[in-house]
């Protein structure tokens, strides 16, 4: 299957309650979770209001891609952009990112930003291939609950 045909075959919907365990399993399979972030809590928080959601991509009924997308009223952000490792290089990453971009455009958000770990060079190349650029910024963080810094 070529990339455009695969992307067209991706059915994209917002997450439903029953899909949460399957999504968490995908995120874990893709290495997207971190011990200091509870994925179930992240999904619940994303679904609380109208400024964020989790979009799922299915191909032939199987969950193959996901993205947590949201905005702060000014900029859009994506997290947990995942494609099943057995389904990579089929256009699903591009398709799920296009869905996130459209979700933001529909809400009047003009800019999407995302963070990628410095050492994740394969993902850097993916985002560059779909039109993203490195803004050369430094990200500062602080845990508001008093935890020690995390990478």
């Amino acid at each position: 299957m070529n990339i455009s045909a695969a992307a067209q075959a991706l059915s994209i919907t917002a997450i439903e309650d029953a899909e949460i365990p399957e999504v968490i399993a995908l995120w874990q399979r893709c290495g997207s979770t971190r011990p200091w972030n509870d994925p179930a809590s992240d999904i619940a928080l994303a679904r609380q209001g109208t400024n964020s959601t989790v979009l799922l991509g299915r191909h032939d009924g199987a969950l193959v891609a996901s993205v947590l997308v949201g905005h702060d009223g000014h900029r859009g952000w994506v997290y947990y952009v995942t494609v099943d490792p057995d389904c990579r290089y089929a256009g699903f990453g591009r398709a799920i990112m296009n869905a996130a971009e459209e979700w933001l455009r529909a809400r009047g958000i003009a800019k999407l930003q995302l963070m990628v770990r410095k050492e994740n060079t394969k993902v850097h190349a993916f985002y560059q291939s779909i039109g993203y650029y490195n803004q050369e910024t430094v990200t500062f963080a602080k845990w508001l609950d008093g935890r020690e810094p995390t990478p």
Side-chain angles (χ1 to χ4, degrees):
M1 177 180 308
N2 68 41
I3 288 177
S4 65
Q8 290 172 0
L10 197 63
S11 169
I12 298 175
T13 59
I15 192 172
E16 299 288 335
D17 290 344
E19 297 171 307
I20 293 171
E22 182 182 19
V23 172
I24 292 172
L26 175 65
W27 290 359
Q28 290 170 336
R29 183 171 150 89
C30 293
S32 297
T33 59
R34 297 292 180 265
W36 53 85
N37 290 334
D38 174 37
S41 295
D42 289 346
I43 291 169
L45 186 60
R47 297 176 73 208
Q48 277 184 354
T50 59
N51 283 13
S52 56
T53 192
V54 179
L55 300 176
L56 306 181
R58 292 189 179 277
H59 178 67
D60 291 336
L63 178 63
V64 297
S66 73
V67 61
L68 189 156
V69 57
H71 69 86
D72 57 19
H74 182 65
R75 289 182 183 91
W77 290 89
V78 294
Y79 303 91
Y80 294 106
V81 179
T82 55
V83 173
D84 186 296
D86 294 337
C87 299
R88 291 188 178 152
Y89 307 104
F92 297 144
R94 179 181 302 266
I96 202 71
M97 283 301 294
N98 285 344
E101 292 171 10
E102 288 303 315
W103 189 91
L104 290 166
R105 277 188 200 97
R107 287 151 182 83
I109 304 300
K111 185 177 185 183
L112 190 157
Q113 296 189 162
L114 54 96
M115 295 180 284
V116 178
R117 295 188 183 280
K118 194 181 322 184
E119 68 276 3
N120 200 344
T121 57
K122 286 184 181 180
V123 172
H124 294 196
F126 164 71
Y127 286 114
Q128 289 169 344
S129 78
I130 61 172
Y132 287 79
Y133 58 93
N134 184 342
Q135 290 193 162
E136 302 293 334
T137 59
V138 175
T139 304
F140 287 88
K142 179 180 181 180
W143 285 104
L144 301 179
D145 62 6
R147 281 185 257 182
E148 291 298 313
T150 54

